[in-house]
Structures are given as C-alpha cells and as structure tokens.
C-alpha cells in the first residue's frame, strides 16, 4: 500500500491560499480528464472555500466533464443560509459551467439518515461502482476543535468504516449533519485541506505534530490510502508551526 504523500504549503493570506487552491484543483482536473475522462471533486463547506469557488467561477476549464459533490452538508434546505450547497452555488455553481445533472446536492433537509443512504447510492451511480469511490479531489476544512467535514470528535460517524456517507448528530451544534466518512475521504486521489486564520493555529500545530496523543482528532484520521495529502494554509494559521523544535 503506497503511503500518502504529505505536502504543506503556507500562503501569505486567504486570497493567496484560494489562488493556490484554484491552481491545484485545475491541475488535478486536467490530469483526471486525461486519465479517466471525468473529474470528480467533493467540495468543502464552511467559509474558507468561498474565495476558491469564486475563482473557479472565473476559471477556464472543461467544466462539462466535472462532477461536483459535497464532502458534508448541514441538514437544512438548499436556500438556507447554513447550506454548503447554497454557499457553493452563489460563489460558483449557479454561474454555469458544470451541468446541473453533474452537481450532486445532499438532500439533507428531510431525514439525515435517509439523505446519507440516498447520497451513497448517488455516488455509486456516478462512479458506476459499489466499490470504494475514489474522488479525484476531496476538499476539506478544519475546525479549531480538530473536526473536518462533519466528522466531530466522539461521534459515531467518525468510527463508521462500513459506509462512505453517514448521518451524524453533532451535540455541540445541536444539529444533524450528513458527512463523508473516513474511508470515503482516504480513498481519494488527493485530499486538499484549506485552513486559514489565527484561530486555527493551535490546532494545526497539534494535528501536524503527529504524536499519538493527538490521534483522536478527526483531522488526524485523514491519511489517504494511496493518494496525496495537501495542506494549504495561510500565514496566520501556520503562525504556531514555527515554534516547533
Ligand atoms: C462545514 C465544513 C466544516 C468546515 C470547518 C472549517 O460544513 O462546516 O465542512 O468541516 O470546513 O468547520 O470551517 P471554516 O472554513 O468556516 O473555518
């Protein structure tokens, strides 16, 4: 089993981070289209990726062969201000390029468990496989508590090794979520973290130090089985890395 290849790139600020992420995504899209005829990307939610999605809206690419998924979603309607689908649509997807039938929204507004099962079926159909779906790129963010996607410390979804998509109750948010599981993330050709802001600095230092005491943080479970692990961070988020001996 080829171990994953880890790369950490520190960029000056969120704009530079978004520009580098755009370049990395477009480069991997070209490779995927050449090798597999399609590019399958799972988008991160939250606020950090918004700048990247705006840059993708302006980019030139063969979007007609892109398939867009979401690595997690809040259980709200698509027009809700909390919706990751809404954020990505307003920043990029609604402005054309990727065919609507190739934008795969998580329908979490009804029942989270049913939505997770439906999304898993939708992924299997899109990949034409019931084996592990290997996304070309899975975009992820990181919370200051070490969560990623909607995999939060101490949740059952974090321990789910049977499914690729899981429903989860997040006590600290008092909210249901639908999320990729660790196996779905680690099967990717490339997992790309985007982390910005000084509020992430302490956790970034903790999770990158790599000692076993930190293994319980969900972010630490992201170890691509046979792919790349790329950390794109801004200077503020990386501000405590320099303190490492
Ligand atoms: C979500 C995300 C979540 C996010 C982190 C970082 O749905 O909220 O998937 O994992 O990436 O919480 O969020 P920010 O980019 O807003 O800091």
């Amino acid at each position: 089993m080829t171990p994953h290849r880890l790369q950490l790139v520190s960029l000056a600020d969120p704009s530079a981070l978004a520009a580098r992420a755009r370049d990395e995504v477009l480069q991997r899209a070209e490779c995927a289209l050449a090798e597999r005829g399609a590019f399958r990307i799972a988008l991160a939610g939250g606020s950090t990726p918004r700048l990247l999605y705006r840059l993708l809206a302006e980019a030139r690419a063969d979007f007609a062969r892109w398939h867009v998924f979401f690595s997690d979603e809040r259980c709200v309607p698509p027009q809700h201000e909390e919706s990751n689908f809404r954020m990505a649509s307003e920043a990029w997807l609604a402005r054309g390029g990727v065919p609507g039938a190739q934008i795969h929204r998580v329908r979490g507004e009804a029942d989270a468990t049913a939505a997770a099962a439906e999304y898993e079926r939708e992924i299997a159909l899109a990949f034409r496989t019931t084996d592990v779906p290997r996304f070309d790129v899975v975009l992820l963010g990181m919370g200051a508590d070490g969560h990623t996607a909607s995999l939060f410390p101490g949740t059952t979804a974090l321990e789910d090794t049977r499914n690729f998509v899981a429903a989860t109750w997040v006590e600290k948010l008092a909210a249901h979520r639908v999320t990729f599981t660790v196996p779905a993330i680690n099967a990717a050709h490339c997992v790309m973290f985007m982390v910005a802001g000084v509020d992430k600095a302490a956790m970034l230092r903790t999770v990158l130090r790599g000692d076993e005491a930190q293994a319980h943080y969900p972010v630490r479970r992201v170890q691509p089985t046979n792919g790349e692990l790329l950390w794109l961070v801004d200077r503020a988020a990386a501000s405590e890395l320099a303190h490492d001996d």
Side-chain angles (χ1 to χ4, degrees), residues 45-48 72 74 84 141-143 147-149 177 200:
S47 56
T48 303
D72 76 319
R74 292 82 180 277
N84 289 335
M142 183 189 76
H147 83 262
T148 189
R177 294 280 187 96
K200 308 288 177 70

Side-chain angles (χ1 to χ4, degrees), residues 52-59 63 91-93 95-96:
L52 163 62
Y53 302 156
R54 286 182 182 151
L55 291 178
L56 287 175
E58 306 299 328
F63 288 120
W92 167 29
L93 299 174
R95 295 167 62 179

